[in-house]
Amino acid sequence: MSHLFAPFTLKSVTLRNRIGVSPMCMYSAEDGLMNDWHLMHLGARAAGGAGLVIAEATAVVPEGRITPGDAGLWSDAHIEPLARINRLIKAQGAVPGLQLAHAGRKASAARPWGGGAHLADSAGGWPTVAPSAAAFGDPLTKIPHALTLEEIASVQTAFVDAARRALIAGVEWLELHGAHGYLAHQFLSPLSNCRTDRYGGSFANRTRFLLETTQAVRAVWPDHLPLTVRLSCTDWIEGGWSLDESIELSRQLKAAGVDLIDCSSGGSAASAKIPVGAGYQVPFAERIRRETGVATAAVGLITDPMQADQIVRIGQADLVFLARELLLDPNWPLHAARALHVKPLPMPPVQYARAF
Ligand code: 531
């Protein structure tokens, strides 16, 4: 039986355990360039024992940033700062991952500590784009420009170019952001996609952007490295994107070469009533894993070692991704190993080991 501290192999990559650092926006880059903050944030969590460390939503074009502080990979200048971080992550025994993203109509916002509302173009913001010219709603009130077919193709090319740069930077695990109400999810959800062309309307049309982007990225991302997708498995709104659609899309993403689905939810509309509670998204990972045979990661209010271990043991997911708990405690994996009586006990970096 598998468990939280059993290694996990996907393609040619082996994680030392089932714990992944969920991609977490730091809003601390300058012109998309990662810096010492990211080195500390990601490096500390690799040293803390996680098997996989996924760097935050990294914009494929500047206008795809959620805030002016988002990381980016839209130019070759972005490669080396990321490569430096990836070398540290690897040296600490973890696998370096990265999430590629485009925020669509949720772009051009202030950082959370600046209020999080859309920034006027005159205040450091920029015009946004989306499948359709409909705003998310207060406080993200900008009306986006509806992408033309040529512009859609150019965003997809930007994902491919960014994936190539990620590879050069030493990323070994790539995640495409298809969740949380950002651009790919804006195409998926009927709540944000009112197009009448081949990218809107039917399920096949709404999923076209993400499937095509995935296929194009898979073509340049080496076969031996994992390509994964984060989905919002439900919008939590009647008439919105649903779990049944996520299951069918996961099947098609698997056929397109996706190795794992990272199962989150929400983000399409502020009015969604989300039953937030311990492991509330785990059933999505479980159903997608069981019904499609694709590997899954569970994420969302996973806080306790026993809870995380059980998710893996009973086959609800292959991996657990943690965010908030790992912000509070970068050494959560080392503490979890003790709580679970793992033998041999994973040790902290050699520089700290004499204390144990
Ligand atoms: C939180 C969030 C979770 C679920 C739905 C919507 C939002 N996160 C998502 C992050 C950015 C910061 C807020 C990303 O996915 C990039």
Side-chain angles (χ1 to χ4, degrees):
M1 185 188 269
S2 218
H3 59 89
L4 193 61
F5 283 88
F8 178 65
T9 300
L10 199 56
K11 294 285 181 65
S12 70
V13 171
T14 298
L15 310 180
R16 60 185 161 185
N17 58 46
R18 308 303 182 99
I19 304 165
V21 179
S22 201
M24 285 179 275
C25 294
M26 295 289 110
Y27 307 114
S28 299
E30 271 178 58
D31 296 323
L33 299 162
M34 293 190 194
N35 55 40
D36 287 0
W37 178 265
H38 305 85
L39 182 77
M40 179 282 296
H41 165 67
L42 298 166
R45 282 150 190 85
L52 172 66
V53 178
I54 308 182
E56 67 193 74
T58 298
V60 299
V61 287
E63 62 274 19
R65 289 172 296 169
I66 304 167
T67 78
D70 287 25
L73 257 184
W74 60 81
S75 88
D76 289 352
H78 295 94
I79 295 172
E80 182 45 34
L82 173 62
R84 171 179 175 238
I85 295 165
N86 289 340
R87 288 192 290 270
L88 174 60
I89 292 171
K90 259 185 100 77
Q92 292 304 318
V95 168
L98 181 98
Q99 185 188 59
L100 286 181
H102 188 306
R105 69 180 182 175
K106 284 181 152 182
S108 181
R111 294 169 176 84
W113 55 88
H118 263 156
L119 290 167
D121 296 356
S122 56
W126 55 86
T128 57
V129 300
S132 304
F136 173 81
D138 192 37
L140 303 176
T141 49
K142 269 193 187 181
I143 297 178
H145 158 71
L147 290 161
T148 65
L149 293 179
E150 294 70 30
E151 288 164 344
I152 289 174
S154 132
V155 172
Q156 291 175 319
T157 302
F159 269 92
V160 171
D161 292 344
R164 277 206 196 90
R165 294 189 185 104
L167 182 68
I168 297 168
V171 170
E172 296 179 357
W173 180 290
L174 194 63
E175 175 170 285
L176 304 181
H177 203 335
H180 298 170
Y182 298 111
L183 185 65
H185 186 189
Q186 288 160 29
F187 275 95
L188 296 177
S189 175
L191 303 175
S192 43
N193 185 343
C194 322
R195 297 180 76 98
T196 52
D197 62 6
R198 53 201 297 273
Y199 287 97
S202 65
F203 174 82
N205 285 355
R206 283 180 285 117
T207 55
R208 192 179 307 282
F209 174 80
L210 181 55
L211 280 165
E212 283 180 351
T213 306
T214 302
Q215 284 155 355
V217 168
R218 185 76 268 185
V220 300
W221 187 248
D223 276 346
H224 68 93
L225 294 179
L227 178 63
T228 74
V229 174
R230 172 166 274 187
L231 291 180
S232 274
C233 297
T234 173
D235 280 341
W236 299 109
I237 290 190
E238 204 56 41
W241 178 255
S242 68
L243 177 58
D244 286 341
E245 288 180 304
S246 293
I247 292 169
E248 179 52 30
L249 176 57
S250 298
R251 234 175 245 126
Q252 296 186 19
L253 287 168
K254 184 184 180 205
V258 166
D259 302 300
L260 175 140
I261 304 290
D262 173 6
C263 300
S264 191
S265 74
S268 268
S271 59
K273 300 268 173 293
I274 306 183
V276 175
Y280 70 111
Q281 295 174 150
V282 174
F284 305 145
E286 182 178 20
R287 271 199 64 192
I288 289 177
R289 187 172 189 265
R290 182 162 22 94
E291 294 183 30
T292 72
V294 73
T296 60
V299 64
L301 283 190
I302 299 169
T303 59
D304 178 74
M306 294 287 179
Q307 174 199 16
D309 189 47
Q310 175 167 291
I311 289 167
V312 177
R313 276 182 192 269
I314 66 176
Q316 291 178 300
D318 298 275
L319 299 179
V320 292
F321 288 177
L322 277 71
R324 276 175 266 197
E325 274 318 286
L326 279 166
L327 287 186
L328 288 173
D329 180 8
N331 299 319
W332 188 94
L334 297 173
H335 289 135
R338 283 165 185 269
L340 295 169
H341 304 282
V342 172
K343 285 194 183 64
L345 208 53
M347 292 303 281
V350 65
Q351 293 88 340
Y352 298 164
R354 68 183 176 280
F356 294 84

